[in-house]
Amino acid sequence: MSEPTADLQAAAAQAAELRAQLQHHAHLYYVLDAPALPDAEYDRLFQQLQALEAAHPELLTPDSPTQRIIGRVLDGFAPVRHAVAMLSIRTETDTTAAGATAFDERVRRELALPPEASPVEYNAELKFDGLAINLRYEHGVLVQAATRGDGETGEDVTQNIRTIGQVPLRLLGAADTLPPVLEVRGEVYMRRDDFERLNERQREKGEKTYINPRNTAAGAVRQLDPAITAQRPLSFFAYGLGEVQGWNRPATHSATLDALAAFGIPVCADRAVALGAEGLVAFHAAMGAQRDALPFDIDGVVYKVNSVELQQRLGFVTREPRWAVAHKYPAQEQLTRLNGIDIQVGRTGKLTPVAKLEPVFVGGTTVSNATLHNVFELRRKGVRVGDTVIVRRAGDVIPEVVGRVMEGAPGPRMPYVPNFRQPRACPVCGSRVLRERGGMDHRCTGGLFCAAQRKQALLHFAGRRAMDVEGLGDKLVDQLVDGGLIRTLPELYKLGVAKLIELERLGEKSAANLVAGLEKSKQTTFARFLYALGIRHVGETTAKDLARHFGGIDRLMAASVDELLQVNDVGPVVAQSIRAFFDQPHNVEVVEQLRAAGIHWPEQAAALGPQPLAGKTLVLTGTLPTLSRDEAKALIEAAGGKVSGSVSKKTNYVVAGEEAGSKLDKARELGVPVLDEAGLQALLHAEA
Ligand code: IVH
């Protein structure tokens, strides 16, 4: 072939420049979660590169960002022999602090450390719940990705892994400084929000939902068609190394992870260098407390001796290193038998199918009831009485049945009970059941006529965050309602000790306690009272906003939908729900009777004036000349506005002061109006 023409040289230089830019922005976007380019601009660069590569196919490189989703449907995965075996780690089954202490003691014993020797340094990290992957980079370019397989031989899943935006196709750094061979090991997983969105899409399409993020991630990596993998939102975290050539690896595991992060590889920030057993115990406790708030599932933490030299001294037993251990948390999912399905009626009449389970220990407690959400979920999950089901309980979340185990269900299965498919009558009061248009929920229309709704309304009313009536629990509410003592909320305050002790199993002391609790609850706040009424869509925050806005119940009861819409965060659905509630004469009567019974609250300062910033979102950046950040925020909120931490297309104004940073750039980029303090003051004092 002829010498490269000047044209081709220019194209090559331009392609290299575009790739570098796209790589940089992909790293900011996927790995650091801090995009610096609007999506449209990224797309434009991407298309430019695509056009260039189409015109000059000889310029195409395997690490080009255009090569992520290119692949063909495979018949199967080719085997990959690991250069360095992919080991597993020992699991400390004791989920208490003792698990961490036991590991530290073992390490000290095996290193023959005397008791007075200083504590061993560990790197503590999370145990991600996904699928282990080995990424092989040669001179900085991703050349192969393989699953663990049996540890010696895995499967070649390169074309699937390439579709994961977080996995760099090329490492950051100058080509001549990158190691000839660097194998990075880590976990492919799925974030919970990505999993929920994926299931949401499945639901919209009327397709089967996935059971949990872990299985979904593992399944996606082992898809023969990379186009399908590309549609699954997968993420990746590195936690170690495989084969390395020509790289002076750092002397500790923690520094190794830092070095991987500098290469542009995602490394989880929730890790710590921990000293001795004490440090490990603290990490285990801290992560245990945060576990449910993490954006992804973990089933424990992993401790690793930090010094590579000590790791080598410790070595391996069979296929597990002596220098690492997994320390688990109590499992959040368990299998059990579904003994029955009940339909429960909630406070607002919502019908919820509830699974009656063979009691099982999960997420730290024994669970015997779990929600099945609604009849559509019930149908989609296809669970029937007698099935073995997966029960999940994470943190304070209500336990739920996630699905059933397909295998090993011998014999014929129980039929569906028709009433679950299309409930028409309330199982408690027999009233008609309606389904809101387009909604998933069925509701009993019985209102307070329905004993189930009445019980829930009472419990809500008496709840700690509402009227806070001490001594009124579910058992007592059941008795009061079933015994016909209470039909409406105000009747609560007519209960006397004499009447109460007629109830079976209620002693004089409990009766007196309840009466005292009721008396005490009469002194309350407007917001609590409003919340206690149980108006649909009026939660605690909305109740507070309404109380602040209207100042008094009479003004609120008289407010039109338009007036209600002026309140912070109140949209049409909430406004209509409030209006509909007070349009019912019996609800107004309930309010009057409760006030007549003596419920009172300190009158609030005159209702707020106009709300010129109602419905507006503002972002503050930099230092304002006279107002502090908190003062500016308070003024904006008092004017009905919201303050957000990041600029998006939905931001109405950015208020910028001295040394404003990237938020100001972003505002300019998106064309969001930018104000100074004087501009903000003008807005605050504008007529609504
Ligand atoms: S280290 C030689 N660190 O847990 C040590 N593994 O048996 C090799 N895992 O399936 C593993 N998070 O994929 C390590 N922070 C972490 C991990 C982790 C999850 C997985 C790993 C493997 C299993 C360990």
Side-chain angles (χ1 to χ4, degrees):
M1 286 287 290
S2 57
E3 283 285 290
T5 62
D7 235 21
L8 187 56
Q9 273 177 1
Q14 202 194 349
E17 169 62 24
L18 283 168
R19 271 179 213 135
Q21 272 190 29
L22 288 165
Q23 192 198 2
H24 172 66
H25 287 291
H27 180 241
L28 291 177
Y29 181 90
Y30 288 114
V31 183
L32 303 182
D33 201 13
L37 265 195
D39 292 357
E41 183 58 17
Y42 184 89
D43 293 345
R44 201 183 59 77
L45 296 176
F46 192 88
Q47 283 154 13
Q48 232 177 314
L49 179 59
Q50 266 181 328
L52 209 56
E53 287 173 346
H56 305 282
E58 62 274 39
L59 294 181
L60 206 79
T61 59
D63 64 333
S64 174
T66 59
Q67 299 305 294
R68 282 208 185 267
I69 331 181
I70 297 200
R72 57 195 173 85
V73 180
L74 301 175
D75 301 328
F77 298 109
V80 173
R81 199 159 169 88
H82 297 300
V84 174
M86 279 182 90
L87 303 169
S88 61
I89 34 180
R90 207 190 121 112
T91 299
E92 203 63 67
T93 41
D94 186 337
T95 59
T96 70
T101 314
F103 173 61
D104 180 58
E105 276 168 11
R106 245 189 353 263
V107 167
R108 294 181 70 91
R109 197 175 48 244
E110 278 152 7
L111 289 172
L113 294 178
E116 66 279 7
S118 45
V120 176
E121 187 179 284
Y122 297 99
N123 189 65
E125 51 202 68
L126 301 179
K127 186 164 191 299
F128 313 110
D129 211 2
L131 185 71
I133 291 289
N134 184 64
L135 304 176
R136 186 175 174 92
Y137 289 90
E138 291 180 3
H139 301 283
V141 176
L142 177 68
V143 294
Q144 189 178 62
T147 61
R148 176 163 174 266
D150 63 5
E152 301 292 332
T153 308
E155 289 174 317
D156 185 337
V157 288
T158 313
Q159 60 173 10
N160 287 345
I161 296 300
R162 298 175 75 90
T163 68
I164 305 176
Q166 285 196 345
V167 172
L169 299 181
R170 181 173 213 299
L171 300 180
L172 295 180
D176 53 353
T177 66
L178 293 170
V181 174
L182 176 67
E183 287 189 354
V184 176
R185 288 182 176 170
E187 198 90 348
V188 170
Y189 67 97
M190 192 176 283
R191 288 170 55 102
R192 286 186 196 136
D193 54 355
D194 284 333
F195 174 75
E196 291 304 329
R197 267 197 294 272
L198 179 65
N199 265 350
E200 201 51 54
R201 283 210 303 271
Q202 292 292 107
R203 256 174 233 134
E204 278 163 15
K205 289 192 284 187
E207 284 172 21
K208 205 169 166 308
T209 49
Y210 296 95
I211 296 214
N212 60 33
R214 187 201 127 81
N215 293 355
T216 315
V221 171
R222 303 196 62 262
Q223 271 292 332
L224 290 171
D225 181 357
I228 296 180
T229 311
Q231 289 163 17
R232 305 277 184 271
L234 298 172
S235 298
F236 177 83
F237 276 137
Y239 54 63
L241 298 175
E243 190 190 8
V244 174
Q245 284 177 28
W247 186 49
N248 226 340
R249 69 160 295 186
T252 61
H253 182 69
S254 54
T256 306
L257 294 180
D258 292 338
L260 294 181
F263 281 135
I265 292 169
V267 175
C268 183
D270 287 307
R271 58 189 162 108
V273 173
L275 276 188
E278 230 171 88
L280 298 181
V281 169
F283 185 83
H284 186 255
M287 289 303 140
Q290 274 189 53
R291 179 185 188 192
D292 297 318
L294 290 172
F296 45 82
D297 285 350
I298 56 168
D299 61 355
V301 290
V302 176
Y303 310 134
K304 296 173 185 169
V305 170
N306 204 22
S307 150
V308 175
E309 194 212 310
L310 288 186
Q311 286 185 2
Q312 281 158 357
R313 260 172 62 192
L314 283 159
F316 301 86
V317 234
T318 54
R319 308 179 51 77
E320 293 166 350
R322 285 202 189 86
W323 45 264
V325 78
H327 191 193
K328 297 229 179 185
Y329 292 116
Q332 292 179 320
E333 286 188 359
Q334 288 294 352
L335 295 182
T336 192
R337 182 177 184 277
L338 179 63
N339 287 335
I341 300 175
D342 275 3
I343 296 235
Q344 252 171 32
V345 184
R347 177 168 63 81
T348 57
K350 186 183 163 212
L351 267 46
T352 306
V354 174
K356 299 282 152 182
L357 304 166
E358 194 57 41
V360 61
F361 193 72
V362 51
T365 48
T366 301
V367 169
S368 43
N369 295 314
T371 182
L372 281 154
H373 300 291
N374 58 53
V375 290
F376 298 97
E377 281 289 318
L378 172 61
R379 238 185 283 171
R380 194 173 16 250
K381 286 174 180 157
V383 294
R384 301 188 202 177
V385 174
D387 284 350
T388 298
V389 294
I390 302 165
V391 184
R392 181 178 171 84
R393 181 184 175 277
D396 295 335
V397 184
I398 303 170
E400 61 165 346
V401 169
V402 238
R404 72 183 180 96
V405 185
M406 292 295 182
E407 302 84 36
R413 297 173 65 217
M414 296 277 274
Y416 278 117
V417 181
N419 189 38
F420 292 158
R421 295 187 138 229
Q422 202 49 268
R424 291 181 203 285
C426 171
V428 175
C429 71
S431 298
R432 223 150 72 85
V433 164
L434 287 182
R435 182 177 142 210
E436 279 153 57
R437 202 174 310 154
M440 294 285 193
D441 296 336
H442 287 79
R443 264 173 219 284
C444 158
T445 54
L448 290 185
F449 169 76
C450 175
Q453 292 190 51
R454 219 179 312 148
K455 287 178 186 175
Q456 294 300 321
L458 273 172
L459 282 171
H460 172 82
F461 182 83
R464 208 166 43 80
R465 321 193 69 112
M467 299 302 287
D468 194 17
V469 180
E470 271 168 49
L472 189 60
D474 5 356
K475 295 243 163 56
L476 193 47
V477 164
D478 280 352
Q479 284 181 293
L480 291 171
V481 171
D482 295 340
L485 259 67
I486 289 193
R487 280 175 316 269
T488 69
L489 291 174
E491 283 176 359
L492 249 188
Y493 289 93
K494 300 209 180 94
L495 292 171
V497 176
K499 219 174 190 178
L500 279 169
I501 48 180
E502 283 172 23
L503 287 176
E504 220 183 307
R505 288 192 303 269
L506 194 70
E508 202 159 333
K509 183 132 181 270
S510 320
N513 277 348
L514 175 58
V515 172
L518 283 165
E519 198 51 43
K520 211 171 113 205
S521 74
K522 288 180 181 173
Q523 157 81 44
T524 185
T525 66
F526 181 23
R528 276 176 174 269
F529 177 72
L530 212 47
Y531 172 63
L533 290 176
I535 305 170
R536 251 187 104 193
H537 304 300
V538 178
E540 260 184 299
T541 316
T542 308
K544 282 186 193 154
D545 288 340
L546 289 166
R548 208 177 312 135
H549 188 94
F550 289 101
I553 184 95
D554 297 307
R555 282 187 60 189
L556 171 64
M557 290 200 294
S560 67
V561 167
D562 280 343
E563 282 165 328
L564 288 163
L565 284 170
Q566 301 303 309
V567 182
N568 196 16
D569 273 345
V570 169
V573 173
V574 184
Q576 262 147 29
S577 165
I578 298 168
R579 195 54 260 151
F581 183 89
F582 291 117
D583 278 341
Q584 299 264 338
H586 73 255
N587 286 334
V588 176
E589 214 170 289
V590 163
V591 170
E592 298 305 343
Q593 287 172 355
L594 286 170
R595 285 160 101 191
I599 291 178
H600 63 283
W601 52 85
E603 270 313 307
Q604 285 188 306
L608 286 185
Q611 300 238 299
L613 291 182
K616 301 277 192 264
T617 303
L618 288 81
V619 173
L620 298 167
T621 176
T623 315
L624 298 177
T626 70
L627 292 173
S628 74
R629 189 65 70 101
D630 285 341
E631 285 164 348
K633 183 163 186 252
L635 286 172
I636 291 168
E637 285 174 352
K642 257 210 310 243
V643 175
S644 158
S646 61
V647 181
S648 75
K649 280 177 231 148
K650 294 201 188 109
T651 310
N652 296 96
Y653 301 100
V654 168
V655 182
E658 201 115 325
E659 284 175 44
S662 62
K663 290 177 193 169
L664 180 56
D665 302 337
K666 182 92 193 244
R668 298 220 166 100
E669 212 173 274
L670 295 176
V672 175
V674 177
L675 306 171
D676 59 5
E677 186 177 312
L680 172 65
Q681 292 288 4
L683 266 190
L684 289 170
H685 300 108
E687 289 293 307

